[in-house]
Amino acid sequence: MLGNNLKINNQPEIEAMFLKHYQEWCLLSYSYIENMSEVEDMVQDVFVKILRRKPKNEILDLKNYISTAVKNNSLKRIKRNRKLEKLENSNVISSPSYEEYLIETETKIKVQKAMEVLPEQSKKVFQLCVLDGEKYQNAADSLGISINTVKFHLKKSFKILRLALRNTYA
């Protein structure tokens, strides 16, 4: 049986520890990652790092040390995978095709033309609340009208725009 204190350059004991507890560490990592091939690679990477590490100091409890390293590497891998997913999703969103760009531009032009039909006060309320994202109270205060009047103008604007754009999104 292996002792608690182990010099880092004691390769035969590290290999024996690897063989004895490999499945246990794979299951530990699997509880985080849930992809067995990725888990096996990650556990093996932990051992490679330990074997390549320069003997600076002793590891007091190798089994616990490796378990913690496996857990931490699993969590790091989850974090990295999430970042990669976000990057992939943002690349898909931020790089529309030329066709999508043309459709979006054409749609914006149609909405702008439809907004020209709106009465002046309704257009101001729509601009503030919908396009600029202002809260009803802020729009009411800046225009000197009540919140109910803001709601009325928004309702009126949406009704007019729905009629003007009914064939746009069919």
Side-chain angles (χ1 to χ4, degrees), residues 28 48 88 141 156:
L28 171 67
V48 168
E88 288 171 0
D141 292 343
K156 184 176 180 179

Side-chain angles (χ1 to χ4, degrees), residues 85-97 100 104:
E85 285 176 16
K86 284 181 184 179
L87 282 175
E88 288 171 0
N89 291 340
S90 68
N91 286 340
V92 170
I93 293 170
S94 66
S95 58
S97 69
E100 291 170 329
E104 184 179 327

